[in-house]
Amino acid sequence: MTSGNDEAATYFDYTKATVVELHRTLWGQVIQQDEFIATHARQKAEIAFLMEGGKELLAASSITLFRQKAKLAATERAMKVYDLSINIIAGAILQIGKQAISIRYGANRTDCPLEGRLISGWCVRDLIWLGRNQAMHYEETKPGSSWVKLFTSLNETYPDLFPLDVPSESRAMAILTVLGWVRYEQYESDMRELGV
């Protein structure tokens, strides 16, 4: 019978290629999203120019304005799709990390005696665990929830990543950013430090 440590090490080795591929895919999605953001800004500027050109220009460009507004709406939809995709991929990375910890130590976060480095007063173990829980169950926003406390705390240091006034949505990419897991090397280093 293998130990939890052996099982976790095997799981970590088996999932390494998957995590590397998830990182590659994640960055492809981020690059594409950045291109949509630039397009969105350009489209908004073009619409503003057409609308501020006076009645004569507006009458002459009504078809162009209609097309630009349709393109802007399509770009906004694409931005939302890419944001969802990015957070799904980031959530998968968190899930793999959390699963390795569970295999090694048990089903509860505190079963893992190692905490890892501290980031804004939170240990890596808790950031992985609670970040994964939020990514998988972001529709559950009970005020007493442990991940709500985490995000409220992280908002003090990272208000752009953890705004308190946004609707329920996955913040998996924000957690990866805070962890430094946008690089595979940091993911591997943290997981090794947690004994996986």
Side-chain angles (χ1 to χ4, degrees):
M1 184 167 171
T2 61
S3 71
N5 188 34
D6 292 340
E7 289 178 33
T10 300
Y11 176 82
F12 186 82
D13 289 342
Y14 285 170
T15 60
K16 181 177 181 172
T18 301
V19 174
V20 168
E21 183 62 23
L22 285 169
H23 272 98
R24 189 194 65 71
T25 303
L26 178 69
W27 283 109
Q29 297 283 310
V30 168
I31 289 167
Q32 184 63 54
Q33 186 183 45
D34 287 346
E35 291 173 10
F36 281 126
I37 290 169
T39 299
H40 184 260
R42 184 181 41 61
Q43 289 170 333
K44 285 181 79 171
E46 289 171 0
I47 290 170
F49 173 77
L50 291 172
M51 293 185 74
E52 293 170 2
K55 291 181 182 178
E56 198 172 289
L57 179 59
L58 193 56
S61 63
S62 63
I63 292 174
T64 301
L65 182 61
F66 175 80
R67 287 182 183 153
Q68 286 301 99
K69 286 182 177 181
K71 288 179 183 179
L72 180 67
T75 299
E76 288 171 348
R77 282 190 303 275
M79 288 169 60
K80 186 63 179 169
V81 166
Y82 275 83
D83 186 58
L84 289 169
S85 296
I86 287 166
N87 278 296
I88 288 168
I89 295 165
I93 294 169
L94 289 171
Q95 171 61 30
I96 292 168
K98 183 263 181 200
Q99 191 62 39
I101 296 167
S102 293
I103 291 169
R104 171 71 169 94
Y105 297 105
N108 296 308
R109 173 174 42 129
T110 55
D111 291 343
C112 176
L114 304 174
E115 295 183 342
R117 59 195 169 94
L118 286 179
I119 300 171
S120 298
W122 290 83
C123 67
V124 167
R125 178 200 66 197
D126 291 354
L127 287 167
I128 296 166
W129 204 282
L130 299 174
R132 174 268 178 205
N133 287 352
Q134 192 276 340
M136 299 300 153
H137 306 286
Y138 61 85
E139 72 285 356
E140 297 174 13
T141 57
K142 299 174 188 153
S145 160
S146 55
W147 62 261
V148 171
K149 291 176 190 173
L150 167 68
F151 286 20
T152 302
S153 173
L154 289 174
N155 171 267
E156 294 174 15
T157 308
Y158 308 99
D160 292 342
L161 292 176
F162 298 94
L164 300 178
D165 59 348
V166 296
S168 299
E169 59 186 41
S170 172
R171 305 305 298 163
M173 185 62 185
I175 291 288
L176 251 59
T177 301
V178 168
L179 285 167
W181 284 15
V182 292
R183 293 177 21 256
Y184 176 82
E185 295 77 17
Q186 186 61 59
Y187 163 83
E188 183 170 8
S189 174
D190 283 335
M191 295 305 293
R192 296 296 186 200
E193 192 174 328
L194 292 172
V196 174

